[in-house]
Amino acid sequence: MPRWKIPAWVEQARHALLAIAIAVAAPHAAVGQETGVGDAFELVDPDTLRVCADPRNLPFSDEAGEGFENALAELVAEKLGRPSVDYTFFPQGVGFVRNTLQAFRCDIIMGYAQGDELVQNTNPYYQSAYALIVPPESELADVTRLDDPRLQGKRIGVVAGTPPATSLAKYGLMGTARPYHLMVDTRASSPVHDMITDLAADEIDAALAWGPMAGYYAQQQTPPLKVIPLTSEVDGPRMTYRITMGVRPSDQEWKRELNDLIRENQAEIDALLLDYGVPLLDEQGQPITR
């Protein structure tokens, strides 16, 4: 990974913070703490949209700019009047936030599940669900729940450690399931891509994957595979999630700016995601279509 150079404007901001700290030190320290000067200072690049991203994690992002989060970043930059998008790439696993957003190497993570405490979430800009993927002509094409008796004895692909894997175990379906690894280096492996390829080759009967990945890879097959969001599960683990943009907890004004952008451009964001096959859900869990 190339050596990262701290932008001049960040260094200037740090010097400014140091000067402020010195000014309010000693007998005036209590005043400085009450005003929260340091907490209110946002180190967000005003000219470039600096994005934290995985270098090989389609359909979300990659270094070639082919993911929908890459396309979304371009849209956000355009709407905010930023002339360019700059990426800090790091595999999205352990240490991702620490080595990107928290290190001030970038200012936004384009997709982050709502409620995760590692970042501050914007308002959600889409909602999706884990999905069942089957061939369109399959006898399973109208299955909507994982407790459906027709799934018994079927070869079902599932990424180990994900919510659908818990449900398969609960319903006694793991005996014939085919697990795929969860923790992988995305630069070298894509479990969902491999799983959908196996499904198209009739090596498994069905697959379970996070909706955006399911939809993206399913539409690349000939004919396209059927994607069924699991919105009818009555118990078991949660299958539906809201996705936000992630920023630093200190960047309150930046979050408000992004919230305004999401609200004003939701229809355009939806259209972009649908182009990539993302199964979108409204607040009632119903599909959003064109």
Side-chain angles (χ1 to χ4, degrees):
M1 186 172 294
R3 182 184 296 274
W4 177 75
K5 183 178 180 180
I6 298 176
W9 69 271
V10 174
E11 287 291 358
Q12 293 167 3
R14 287 177 175 174
H15 286 304
L17 283 175
L18 178 59
I20 292 170
I22 293 172
V24 300
H28 303 290
V31 175
Q33 291 168 2
E34 290 175 1
T35 56
V37 176
D39 290 341
F41 206 93
E42 299 190 17
L43 296 179
V44 176
D45 192 316
D47 302 313
T48 300
L49 185 68
R50 301 192 309 152
V51 178
C52 323
D54 191 304
R56 190 181 183 277
N57 192 26
L58 291 177
F60 307 103
S61 64
D62 71 353
E63 290 181 298
E66 297 176 340
F68 68 75
E69 290 181 0
N70 297 107
L72 180 59
E74 295 292 339
L75 176 64
V76 169
E78 175 190 345
K79 298 298 182 181
L80 294 179
R82 302 287 209 278
S84 62
V85 178
D86 182 68
Y87 287 94
T88 292
F89 287 110
F90 195 91
Q92 196 158 4
V94 176
F96 174 73
V97 175
R98 182 179 67 253
N99 287 286
T100 57
L101 190 69
Q102 291 179 353
F104 294 94
R105 298 175 64 183
C106 42
D107 302 317
I108 183 172
I109 299 172
M110 299 310 303
Y112 218 87
Q114 186 180 49
D116 193 299
E117 296 181 355
L118 285 178
V119 305
Q120 175 180 210
N121 300 109
T122 65
N123 292 338
Y125 64 93
Y126 77 92
Q127 180 174 226
S128 192
Y130 280 89
L132 177 70
I133 311 103
V134 296
E137 73 283 357
S138 169
E139 64 175 303
L140 307 176
D142 61 346
V143 169
T144 60
R145 286 171 41 169
L146 296 182
D147 61 355
D148 192 301
R150 288 173 290 178
L151 293 175
Q152 292 293 328
K154 298 298 183 183
R155 303 166 298 168
I156 304 173
V158 63
V159 177
T162 59
T166 301
S167 293
L168 291 189
K170 177 180 179 180
Y171 299 131
L173 299 171
M174 287 300 293
T176 55
R178 177 181 292 186
Y180 293 76
H181 291 297
L182 171 63
M183 301 303 294
V184 299
D185 184 341
T186 55
R187 294 168 296 183
S189 178
S190 176
V192 175
H193 174 268
D194 295 343
M195 182 165 56
I196 299 300
T197 300
D198 289 345
L199 177 60
D202 198 31
E203 294 184 18
I204 54 177
D205 301 307
L208 292 163
W210 171 231
M213 304 185 81
Y216 176 75
Y217 288 116
Q219 70 179 9
Q220 294 181 352
Q221 303 302 318
T222 304
L225 300 170
K226 184 172 183 179
V227 177
I228 307 167
L230 295 172
T231 59
S232 301
E233 298 296 291
V234 293
D235 52 16
R238 175 183 175 189
M239 297 290 179
T240 301
Y241 292 86
R242 294 180 177 87
I243 305 301
T244 73
M245 299 173 192
V247 301
R248 286 179 290 273
S250 59
D251 295 341
Q252 295 294 318
E253 185 58 36
W254 179 223
K255 182 186 74 171
R256 285 190 285 270
E257 189 173 4
L258 292 170
N259 283 341
D260 289 342
L261 181 146
I262 292 168
R263 183 181 64 254
E264 295 166 4
N265 298 278
Q266 188 64 66
E268 196 167 349
I269 293 171
D270 287 351
L272 184 158
L273 296 173
L274 289 170
D275 283 344
Y276 281 81
V278 178
L280 300 179
L281 303 173
D282 63 19
E283 287 303 309
Q284 289 70 48
Q286 297 302 308
I288 295 175
T289 64
R290 297 188 185 281

